[in-house]
């Protein structure tokens, strides 16, 4: 009897996990975002796209520097649910101009919450935030 009960529980649990993996979290419409840090501003959209075993956080936008302050700017994407955190940085915009930015960060089924990103600034030649560091003091969170 106990073995049969355990088999039923395992079958139900497997069905629930399979259903969650196939359907994934609900997809939301794109959300507009904007942020300012020093002389730079960044704007764009964020959209979550469901796939098997997780979802993607699609961030599309641009960093704009109208008048240079001698600093470099980049977007930092951070996923804290990973073991040590997983960070990615966009290309840098140093000086005046507009830099298109785009990221399609995969968020696993177990790490779909907590994704964050921000506009960071550093001096030319200075290191960026490291991959396991969250958004640092030089970053303004979106």
């Amino acid at each position: 009897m106990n073995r049969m009960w355990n088999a039923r529980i395992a079958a139900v649990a497997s069905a629930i996990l399979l259903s969650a993996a196939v359907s994934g979290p609900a997809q939301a419409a794109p959300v507009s975002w904007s942020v300012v840090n020093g002389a730079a501003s960044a704007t764009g959209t964020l959209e979550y796209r469901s796939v098997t075993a997780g979802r993607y956080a699609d961030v599309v936008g641009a960093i704009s520097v109208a008048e240079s302050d001698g600093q470099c700017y980049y977007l930092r994407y951070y996923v804290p649910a990973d073991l040590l955190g997983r960070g990615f940085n966009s290309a840098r915009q140093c000086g005046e101009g507009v830099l298109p930015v785009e990221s399609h960060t995969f968020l696993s089924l177990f790490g779909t919450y907590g994704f964050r990103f921000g506009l960071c600034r550093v001096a030319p030649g200075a290191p960026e935030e490291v991959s396991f560091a969250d958004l640092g003091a030089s970053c303004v969170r979106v």
Side-chain angles (χ1 to χ4, degrees):
M1 177 75 172
N2 205 11
R3 182 177 285 173
M4 181 183 269
W5 179 252
N6 288 341
R8 285 184 181 172
I9 290 174
V12 169
S14 295
I16 290 171
L17 285 175
L18 181 60
S19 171
V22 170
S23 63
Q27 183 168 343
V31 176
S32 296
W33 57 267
S34 66
V35 63
V36 174
N37 187 354
S41 63
T43 59
T45 60
L46 167 64
E47 181 175 10
Y48 291 105
R49 180 172 36 101
S50 297
V51 294
T52 301
R55 64 183 176 165
Y56 283 92
D58 297 323
V59 177
V60 179
I63 298 171
S64 177
V65 179
E67 187 174 324
S68 179
D69 62 355
Q71 300 291 300
C72 295
Y73 296 89
Y74 62 95
L75 283 186
R76 174 155 179 78
Y77 315 98
Y78 184 72
V79 185
D82 286 351
L83 184 58
L84 292 174
R86 179 171 38 123
F88 303 96
N89 299 327
S90 74
R92 289 183 179 194
Q93 173 64 39
C94 298
E96 297 174 9
V98 176
L99 173 69
V101 289
E102 186 171 340
S103 173
H104 304 281
T105 305
F106 177 72
L107 308 170
S108 73
L109 192 59
F110 299 106
T112 58
Y113 300 101
F115 170 73
R116 49 187 168 253
F117 66 103
L119 178 60
C120 305
R121 72 176 168 177
V122 294
E128 299 170 348
E129 300 293 333
V130 294
S131 63
F132 56 86
D134 195 348
L135 299 175
S138 66
C139 304
V140 175
R141 185 175 173 176
V142 171

